[in-house]
């Protein structure tokens, strides 16, 4: 079992930046991919990006590519989502997720999820 806890959400004005953090605990040795997803009210959960937990490799959704960056810290079993040039459209609950499958952006491939953290971007 893997437990994930997100933090860092809040209110920011358009054009601003925010950093989210996700701390993992439990059987972290089983993780191959750490991903970020988001869900706005009335909409389906949307893929944001992922980073390989072991080795290299990242992937981002087209809507955030160039603005968001995922980093990892193995020593602290933590990943971060750095969000820049935020837009009102980025407003959503952001979820950290872990998968035992590598290179995946599919929601169904992620078996572990955090509780989510709210990000609100005002115009």
């Amino acid at each position: 079992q893997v437990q994930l806890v997100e933090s860092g959400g809040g209110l920011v004005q358009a054009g601003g930046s925010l950093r989210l953090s996700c701390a993992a605990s439990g059987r972290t040795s089983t993780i191959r991919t750490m991903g970020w997803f988001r869900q706005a009210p009335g909409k389906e959960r949307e893929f944001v990006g992922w980073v390989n937990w072991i080795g290299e490799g990242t992937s981002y959704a087209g809507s955030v590519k160039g603005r968001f960056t995922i980093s990892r810290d193995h020593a602290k079993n933590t990943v971060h989502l750095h969000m820049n040039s935020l837009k009102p459209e980025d407003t959503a609950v952001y979820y950290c997720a872990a998968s035992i499958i590598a290179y995946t952006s599919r929601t169904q491939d992620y078996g572990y999820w955090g509780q989510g953290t709210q990000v609100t971007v005002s115009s």
Side-chain angles (χ1 to χ4, degrees):
Q1 296 296 313
V2 175
Q3 295 79 45
L4 304 173
V5 179
E6 303 100 332
S7 63
L11 175 65
V12 64
Q13 293 192 337
S17 300
L18 206 61
R19 187 186 76 165
L20 306 183
S21 298
C22 175
S25 61
R27 292 186 172 182
T28 57
S29 62
T30 66
I31 299 173
R32 295 294 176 270
T33 311
M34 293 290 289
W36 285 94
F37 295 78
R38 65 186 183 185
Q39 187 167 21
K43 297 184 178 180
E44 295 183 349
R45 190 161 297 185
E46 174 189 27
F47 166 74
V48 174
W50 57 251
V51 62
N52 284 343
W53 190 242
I54 299 175
E56 304 297 325
T58 56
S59 182
Y60 300 93
S63 59
V64 306
K65 191 175 183 64
R67 298 189 297 121
F68 291 10
T69 302
I70 300 174
S71 63
R72 62 190 180 191
D73 185 341
H74 288 292
K76 297 181 179 180
N77 282 331
T78 300
V79 295
H80 302 281
L81 179 64
H82 305 263
M83 304 183 291
N84 299 312
S85 301
L86 284 162
K87 306 174 181 179
E89 305 92 272
D90 295 319
T91 296
V93 175
Y94 283 70
Y95 297 90
C96 174
S99 176
I100 63 173
I101 300 171
Y103 323 115
T104 183
S105 59
R106 304 196 308 170
T107 303
Q108 61 265 44
D109 288 337
Y110 288 80
Y112 309 101
W113 296 83
Q115 295 298 307
T117 185
Q118 177 71 48
V119 172
T120 302
V121 184
S122 62
S123 60

